[in-house]
mmCIF file of all heavy atoms in Angstrom:
data_model
loop_
_atom_site.group_PDB
_atom_site.id
_atom_site.type_symbol
_atom_site.label_atom_id
_atom_site.label_comp_id
_atom_site.label_asym_id
_atom_site.label_seq_id
_atom_site.Cartn_x
_atom_site.Cartn_y
_atom_site.Cartn_z
ATOM 1 N N ILE J 117 6.323 28.338 16.701
ATOM 2 C CA ILE J 117 6.490 29.789 16.689
ATOM 3 C C ILE J 117 6.378 30.341 15.276
ATOM 4 O O ILE J 117 6.851 29.742 14.305
ATOM 5 C CB ILE J 117 7.842 30.163 17.319
ATOM 6 C CG1 ILE J 117 7.836 29.831 18.810
ATOM 7 C CG2 ILE J 117 8.165 31.634 17.132
ATOM 8 C CD1 ILE J 117 9.163 30.012 19.499
ATOM 9 N N THR J 118 5.763 31.525 15.176
ATOM 10 C CA THR J 118 5.658 32.273 13.921
ATOM 11 C C THR J 118 6.110 33.713 14.192
ATOM 12 O O THR J 118 6.314 34.098 15.351
ATOM 13 C CB THR J 118 4.212 32.288 13.391
ATOM 14 O OG1 THR J 118 3.462 33.268 14.134
ATOM 15 C CG2 THR J 118 3.539 30.931 13.517
ATOM 16 N N PRO J 119 6.224 34.540 13.152
ATOM 17 C CA PRO J 119 6.572 35.950 13.389
ATOM 18 C C PRO J 119 5.535 36.704 14.215
ATOM 19 O O PRO J 119 5.796 37.819 14.657
ATOM 20 C CB PRO J 119 6.662 36.515 11.968
ATOM 21 C CG PRO J 119 6.983 35.350 11.101
ATOM 22 C CD PRO J 119 6.243 34.208 11.717
ATOM 23 N N TYR J 120 4.350 36.101 14.416
ATOM 24 C CA TYR J 120 3.276 36.771 15.151
ATOM 25 C C TYR J 120 3.060 36.171 16.543
ATOM 26 O O TYR J 120 2.029 36.421 17.182
ATOM 27 C CB TYR J 120 1.971 36.673 14.357
ATOM 28 C CG TYR J 120 2.107 37.088 12.908
ATOM 29 C CD1 TYR J 120 2.077 36.131 11.896
ATOM 30 C CD2 TYR J 120 2.285 38.415 12.555
ATOM 31 C CE1 TYR J 120 2.206 36.501 10.558
ATOM 32 C CE2 TYR J 120 2.420 38.798 11.228
ATOM 33 C CZ TYR J 120 2.387 37.828 10.233
ATOM 34 O OH TYR J 120 2.525 38.203 8.922
ATOM 35 N N SER J 121 4.021 35.393 17.037
ATOM 36 C CA SER J 121 3.810 34.659 18.288
ATOM 37 C C SER J 121 3.847 35.539 19.529
ATOM 38 O O SER J 121 3.398 35.115 20.598
ATOM 39 C CB SER J 121 4.851 33.535 18.427
ATOM 40 O OG SER J 121 4.649 32.534 17.459
ATOM 41 N N ARG J 122 4.388 36.734 19.432
ATOM 42 C CA ARG J 122 4.383 37.685 20.549
ATOM 43 C C ARG J 122 4.902 37.043 21.837
ATOM 44 O O ARG J 122 4.241 37.033 22.875
ATOM 45 C CB ARG J 122 2.958 38.245 20.762
ATOM 46 C CG ARG J 122 2.359 38.862 19.515
ATOM 47 C CD ARG J 122 0.985 39.460 19.758
ATOM 48 N NE ARG J 122 -0.012 38.496 20.172
ATOM 49 C CZ ARG J 122 -0.611 37.626 19.356
ATOM 50 N NH1 ARG J 122 -0.315 37.612 18.068
ATOM 51 N NH2 ARG J 122 -1.523 36.794 19.827
ATOM 52 N N ASN J 123 6.117 36.483 21.757
ATOM 53 C CA ASN J 123 6.804 35.856 22.897
ATOM 54 C C ASN J 123 6.145 34.559 23.364
ATOM 55 O O ASN J 123 6.527 34.023 24.413
ATOM 56 C CB ASN J 123 6.911 36.833 24.080
ATOM 57 C CG ASN J 123 7.715 38.068 23.745
ATOM 58 O OD1 ASN J 123 8.763 37.978 23.085
ATOM 59 N ND2 ASN J 123 7.235 39.229 24.164
ATOM 60 N N GLY J 124 5.181 34.061 22.616
ATOM 61 C CA GLY J 124 4.585 32.777 22.947
ATOM 62 C C GLY J 124 5.407 31.631 22.397
ATOM 63 O O GLY J 124 6.343 31.832 21.603
ATOM 64 N N ASP J 125 5.055 30.401 22.801
ATOM 65 C CA ASP J 125 5.816 29.232 22.335
ATOM 66 C C ASP J 125 5.229 28.611 21.072
ATOM 67 O O ASP J 125 5.804 27.674 20.512
ATOM 68 C CB ASP J 125 5.935 28.195 23.444
ATOM 69 C CG ASP J 125 4.578 27.650 23.917
ATOM 70 O OD1 ASP J 125 3.550 27.944 23.277
ATOM 71 O OD2 ASP J 125 4.558 26.936 24.938
ATOM 72 N N GLY J 126 4.081 29.114 20.621
ATOM 73 C CA GLY J 126 3.484 28.597 19.390
ATOM 74 C C GLY J 126 2.872 27.220 19.517
ATOM 75 O O GLY J 126 2.461 26.624 18.527
ATOM 76 N N ARG J 127 2.812 26.704 20.733
ATOM 77 C CA ARG J 127 2.304 25.351 20.947
ATOM 78 C C ARG J 127 0.910 25.377 21.582
ATOM 79 O O ARG J 127 0.467 26.387 22.113
ATOM 80 C CB ARG J 127 3.267 24.572 21.839
ATOM 81 C CG ARG J 127 4.606 24.262 21.191
ATOM 82 C CD ARG J 127 4.427 23.536 19.886
ATOM 83 N NE ARG J 127 5.677 23.001 19.361
ATOM 84 C CZ ARG J 127 5.808 22.461 18.161
ATOM 85 N NH1 ARG J 127 4.753 22.399 17.344
ATOM 86 N NH2 ARG J 127 6.958 21.992 17.742
ATOM 87 N N SER J 128 0.257 24.233 21.541
ATOM 88 C CA SER J 128 -1.052 24.092 22.174
ATOM 89 C C SER J 128 -1.024 22.935 23.153
ATOM 90 O O SER J 128 -0.535 21.854 22.819
ATOM 91 C CB SER J 128 -2.140 23.836 21.139
ATOM 92 O OG SER J 128 -3.383 23.561 21.767
ATOM 93 N N PRO J 129 -1.555 23.136 24.350
ATOM 94 C CA PRO J 129 -1.780 21.975 25.218
ATOM 95 C C PRO J 129 -2.821 21.043 24.589
ATOM 96 O O PRO J 129 -3.584 21.437 23.697
ATOM 97 C CB PRO J 129 -2.315 22.595 26.508
ATOM 98 C CG PRO J 129 -1.951 24.043 26.435
ATOM 99 C CD PRO J 129 -1.943 24.390 24.980
ATOM 100 N N LEU J 130 -2.857 19.831 25.079
ATOM 101 C CA LEU J 130 -3.805 18.846 24.566
ATOM 102 C C LEU J 130 -5.246 19.276 24.778
ATOM 103 O O LEU J 130 -6.098 19.097 23.898
ATOM 104 C CB LEU J 130 -3.548 17.498 25.248
ATOM 105 C CG LEU J 130 -4.533 16.369 24.948
ATOM 106 C CD1 LEU J 130 -4.478 15.978 23.475
ATOM 107 C CD2 LEU J 130 -4.219 15.153 25.831
ATOM 108 N N GLY J 131 -5.552 19.872 25.936
ATOM 109 C CA GLY J 131 -6.932 20.218 26.274
ATOM 110 C C GLY J 131 -7.639 21.056 25.233
ATOM 111 O O GLY J 131 -8.742 20.708 24.787
ATOM 112 N N PRO J 132 -7.055 22.198 24.812
ATOM 113 C CA PRO J 132 -7.721 23.009 23.787
ATOM 114 C C PRO J 132 -7.917 22.286 22.459
ATOM 115 O O PRO J 132 -8.880 22.560 21.743
ATOM 116 C CB PRO J 132 -6.772 24.202 23.640
ATOM 117 C CG PRO J 132 -6.084 24.298 24.960
ATOM 118 C CD PRO J 132 -5.901 22.880 25.409
ATOM 119 N N VAL J 133 -7.020 21.365 22.127
ATOM 120 C CA VAL J 133 -7.175 20.591 20.884
ATOM 121 C C VAL J 133 -8.379 19.661 20.993
ATOM 122 O O VAL J 133 -9.215 19.587 20.083
ATOM 123 C CB VAL J 133 -5.883 19.808 20.579
ATOM 124 C CG1 VAL J 133 -6.125 18.757 19.486
ATOM 125 C CG2 VAL J 133 -4.773 20.764 20.144
ATOM 126 N N LEU J 134 -8.485 18.949 22.109
ATOM 127 C CA LEU J 134 -9.643 18.063 22.292
ATOM 128 C C LEU J 134 -10.937 18.871 22.351
ATOM 129 O O LEU J 134 -11.958 18.475 21.776
ATOM 130 C CB LEU J 134 -9.476 17.239 23.572
ATOM 131 C CG LEU J 134 -8.279 16.283 23.630
ATOM 132 C CD1 LEU J 134 -8.315 15.473 24.921
ATOM 133 C CD2 LEU J 134 -8.235 15.361 22.424
ATOM 134 N N ARG J 135 -10.900 20.012 23.044
ATOM 135 C CA ARG J 135 -12.088 20.858 23.153
ATOM 136 C C ARG J 135 -12.557 21.312 21.776
ATOM 137 O O ARG J 135 -13.744 21.215 21.446
ATOM 138 C CB ARG J 135 -11.795 22.079 24.026
ATOM 139 C CG ARG J 135 -12.934 23.103 24.053
ATOM 140 C CD ARG J 135 -12.589 24.282 24.924
ATOM 141 N NE ARG J 135 -12.637 23.897 26.330
ATOM 142 C CZ ARG J 135 -13.750 23.899 27.052
ATOM 143 N NH1 ARG J 135 -14.912 24.253 26.507
ATOM 144 N NH2 ARG J 135 -13.734 23.549 28.309
ATOM 145 N N GLU J 136 -11.633 21.813 20.947
ATOM 146 C CA GLU J 136 -12.050 22.302 19.638
ATOM 147 C C GLU J 136 -12.550 21.173 18.754
ATOM 148 O O GLU J 136 -13.512 21.358 17.997
ATOM 149 C CB GLU J 136 -10.909 23.052 18.940
ATOM 150 C CG GLU J 136 -11.321 23.561 17.575
ATOM 151 C CD GLU J 136 -10.466 24.702 17.054
ATOM 152 O OE1 GLU J 136 -9.703 25.303 17.830
ATOM 153 O OE2 GLU J 136 -10.586 24.997 15.846
ATOM 154 N N TYR J 137 -11.914 20.007 18.833
ATOM 155 C CA TYR J 137 -12.393 18.882 18.037
ATOM 156 C C TYR J 137 -13.830 18.548 18.432
ATOM 157 O O TYR J 137 -14.720 18.425 17.578
ATOM 158 C CB TYR J 137 -11.488 17.664 18.230
ATOM 159 C CG TYR J 137 -11.666 16.602 17.170
ATOM 160 C CD1 TYR J 137 -10.665 16.328 16.246
ATOM 161 C CD2 TYR J 137 -12.865 15.884 17.067
ATOM 162 C CE1 TYR J 137 -10.827 15.354 15.265
ATOM 163 C CE2 TYR J 137 -13.039 14.920 16.090
ATOM 164 C CZ TYR J 137 -12.015 14.654 15.201
ATOM 165 O OH TYR J 137 -12.194 13.701 14.217
ATOM 166 N N ILE J 138 -14.069 18.402 19.731
ATOM 167 C CA ILE J 138 -15.412 18.050 20.213
ATOM 168 C C ILE J 138 -16.434 19.104 19.814
ATOM 169 O O ILE J 138 -17.485 18.798 19.232
ATOM 170 C CB ILE J 138 -15.411 17.881 21.744
ATOM 171 C CG1 ILE J 138 -14.559 16.679 22.158
ATOM 172 C CG2 ILE J 138 -16.842 17.718 22.267
ATOM 173 C CD1 ILE J 138 -14.252 16.633 23.649
ATOM 174 N N LEU J 139 -16.123 20.367 20.122
ATOM 175 C CA LEU J 139 -17.100 21.438 19.926
ATOM 176 C C LEU J 139 -17.352 21.732 18.460
ATOM 177 O O LEU J 139 -18.501 21.919 18.037
ATOM 178 C CB LEU J 139 -16.632 22.708 20.641
ATOM 179 C CG LEU J 139 -17.076 22.925 22.089
ATOM 180 C CD1 LEU J 139 -18.577 23.133 22.178
ATOM 181 C CD2 LEU J 139 -16.636 21.806 23.005
ATOM 182 N N SER J 140 -16.307 21.796 17.648
ATOM 183 C CA SER J 140 -16.513 22.161 16.247
ATOM 184 C C SER J 140 -17.277 21.077 15.502
ATOM 185 O O SER J 140 -18.166 21.374 14.693
ATOM 186 C CB SER J 140 -15.172 22.446 15.557
ATOM 187 O OG SER J 140 -14.345 21.300 15.503
ATOM 188 N N GLU J 141 -16.978 19.818 15.791
ATOM 189 C CA GLU J 141 -17.697 18.741 15.113
ATOM 190 C C GLU J 141 -19.134 18.631 15.608
ATOM 191 O O GLU J 141 -20.035 18.301 14.841
ATOM 192 C CB GLU J 141 -16.945 17.424 15.276
ATOM 193 C CG GLU J 141 -15.681 17.355 14.439
ATOM 194 C CD GLU J 141 -15.943 17.709 12.979
ATOM 195 O OE1 GLU J 141 -16.722 16.987 12.322
ATOM 196 O OE2 GLU J 141 -15.396 18.712 12.488
ATOM 197 N N PHE J 142 -19.349 18.928 16.882
ATOM 198 C CA PHE J 142 -20.720 18.963 17.386
ATOM 199 C C PHE J 142 -21.515 20.077 16.724
ATOM 200 O O PHE J 142 -22.666 19.883 16.308
ATOM 201 C CB PHE J 142 -20.705 19.144 18.904
ATOM 202 C CG PHE J 142 -22.069 19.398 19.489
ATOM 203 C CD1 PHE J 142 -23.111 18.513 19.280
ATOM 204 C CD2 PHE J 142 -22.317 20.531 20.239
ATOM 205 C CE1 PHE J 142 -24.376 18.748 19.819
ATOM 206 C CE2 PHE J 142 -23.562 20.775 20.782
ATOM 207 C CZ PHE J 142 -24.603 19.882 20.569
ATOM 208 N N MET J 143 -20.903 21.248 16.592
ATOM 209 C CA MET J 143 -21.597 22.360 15.929
ATOM 210 C C MET J 143 -21.936 21.993 14.488
ATOM 211 O O MET J 143 -23.029 22.313 13.993
ATOM 212 C CB MET J 143 -20.730 23.618 15.985
ATOM 213 C CG MET J 143 -20.560 24.188 17.380
ATOM 214 S SD MET J 143 -21.981 25.120 17.967
ATOM 215 C CE MET J 143 -21.541 26.763 17.372
ATOM 216 N N ALA J 144 -21.039 21.316 13.817
ATOM 217 C CA ALA J 144 -21.318 20.875 12.446
ATOM 218 C C ALA J 144 -22.501 19.907 12.421
ATOM 219 O O ALA J 144 -23.354 19.969 11.525
ATOM 220 C CB ALA J 144 -20.074 20.231 11.840
ATOM 221 N N ALA J 145 -22.569 19.021 13.413
ATOM 222 C CA ALA J 145 -23.682 18.076 13.484
ATOM 223 C C ALA J 145 -25.001 18.783 13.726
ATOM 224 O O ALA J 145 -26.059 18.315 13.289
ATOM 225 C CB ALA J 145 -23.429 17.045 14.583
ATOM 226 N N LEU J 146 -24.968 19.925 14.415
ATOM 227 C CA LEU J 146 -26.176 20.728 14.634
ATOM 228 C C LEU J 146 -26.580 21.521 13.396
ATOM 229 O O LEU J 146 -27.665 22.088 13.350
ATOM 230 C CB LEU J 146 -25.949 21.713 15.786
ATOM 231 C CG LEU J 146 -25.862 21.148 17.199
ATOM 232 C CD1 LEU J 146 -25.568 22.276 18.185
ATOM 233 C CD2 LEU J 146 -27.138 20.420 17.592
ATOM 234 N N GLY J 147 -25.686 21.612 12.410
ATOM 235 C CA GLY J 147 -25.964 22.401 11.220
ATOM 236 C C GLY J 147 -25.505 23.840 11.326
ATOM 237 O O GLY J 147 -25.858 24.666 10.483
ATOM 238 N N VAL J 148 -24.707 24.150 12.348
ATOM 239 C CA VAL J 148 -24.174 25.505 12.507
ATOM 240 C C VAL J 148 -22.977 25.683 11.581
ATOM 241 O O VAL J 148 -22.139 24.780 11.456
ATOM 242 C CB VAL J 148 -23.730 25.748 13.969
ATOM 243 C CG1 VAL J 148 -23.193 27.159 14.140
ATOM 244 C CG2 VAL J 148 -24.889 25.498 14.927
ATOM 245 N N ARG J 149 -22.889 26.844 10.935
ATOM 246 C CA ARG J 149 -21.712 27.132 10.099
ATOM 247 C C ARG J 149 -20.495 27.241 11.010
ATOM 248 O O ARG J 149 -20.470 28.048 11.950
ATOM 249 C CB ARG J 149 -21.909 28.418 9.303
ATOM 250 C CG ARG J 149 -22.911 28.274 8.153
ATOM 251 C CD ARG J 149 -23.114 29.603 7.420
ATOM 252 N NE ARG J 149 -21.899 30.090 6.807
ATOM 253 C CZ ARG J 149 -21.523 29.836 5.551
ATOM 254 N NH1 ARG J 149 -22.287 29.081 4.790
ATOM 255 N NH2 ARG J 149 -20.408 30.326 5.058
ATOM 256 N N THR J 150 -19.485 26.441 10.727
ATOM 257 C CA THR J 150 -18.351 26.348 11.639
ATOM 258 C C THR J 150 -17.098 25.868 10.934
ATOM 259 O O THR J 150 -17.173 25.216 9.884
ATOM 260 C CB THR J 150 -18.678 25.363 12.786
ATOM 261 O OG1 THR J 150 -17.556 25.264 13.668
ATOM 262 C CG2 THR J 150 -19.016 23.968 12.270
ATOM 263 N N THR J 151 -15.947 26.206 11.522
ATOM 264 C CA THR J 151 -14.729 25.528 11.138
ATOM 265 C C THR J 151 -14.859 24.070 11.580
ATOM 266 O O THR J 151 -15.674 23.738 12.436
ATOM 267 C CB THR J 151 -13.507 26.176 11.813
ATOM 268 O OG1 THR J 151 -13.681 26.159 13.236
ATOM 269 C CG2 THR J 151 -13.339 27.618 11.355
ATOM 270 N N ARG J 152 -14.042 23.208 10.995
ATOM 271 C CA ARG J 152 -14.137 21.779 11.288
ATOM 272 C C ARG J 152 -12.792 21.278 11.801
ATOM 273 O O ARG J 152 -11.775 21.959 11.715
ATOM 274 C CB ARG J 152 -14.528 20.995 10.030
ATOM 275 C CG ARG J 152 -15.857 21.412 9.398
ATOM 276 C CD ARG J 152 -17.054 20.947 10.180
ATOM 277 N NE ARG J 152 -17.082 19.504 10.390
ATOM 278 C CZ ARG J 152 -17.538 18.605 9.513
ATOM 279 N NH1 ARG J 152 -18.022 19.016 8.343
ATOM 280 N NH2 ARG J 152 -17.543 17.314 9.780
ATOM 281 N N SER J 153 -12.798 20.056 12.304
ATOM 282 C CA SER J 153 -11.575 19.420 12.789
ATOM 283 C C SER J 153 -11.315 18.175 11.962
ATOM 284 O O SER J 153 -12.129 17.246 11.951
ATOM 285 C CB SER J 153 -11.708 19.063 14.269
ATOM 286 O OG SER J 153 -11.807 20.228 15.055
ATOM 287 N N LEU J 154 -10.186 18.175 11.271
ATOM 288 C CA LEU J 154 -9.819 17.043 10.424
ATOM 289 C C LEU J 154 -9.062 15.985 11.219
ATOM 290 O O LEU J 154 -9.217 14.785 10.967
ATOM 291 C CB LEU J 154 -8.963 17.510 9.249
ATOM 292 C CG LEU J 154 -8.444 16.436 8.296
ATOM 293 C CD1 LEU J 154 -9.593 15.696 7.627
ATOM 294 C CD2 LEU J 154 -7.522 17.052 7.239
ATOM 295 N N ALA J 155 -8.239 16.415 12.173
ATOM 296 C CA ALA J 155 -7.417 15.453 12.897
ATOM 297 C C ALA J 155 -6.877 16.077 14.171
ATOM 298 O O ALA J 155 -6.762 17.302 14.283
ATOM 299 C CB ALA J 155 -6.260 14.971 12.026
#
Side-chain angles (χ1 to χ4, degrees):
I117 293 174
T118 79
Y120 310 107
S121 292
R122 305 183 298 284
N123 298 318
D125 61 9
R127 292 305 191 188
S128 174
L130 174 64
V133 167
L134 298 184
R135 173 180 287 275
E136 180 159 346
Y137 196 112
I138 294 167
L139 269 294
S140 64
E141 287 309 298
F142 171 56
M143 292 282 270
L146 289 177
V148 181
R149 287 178 62 92
T150 179
T151 57
R152 301 286 304 277
S153 294
L154 177 61

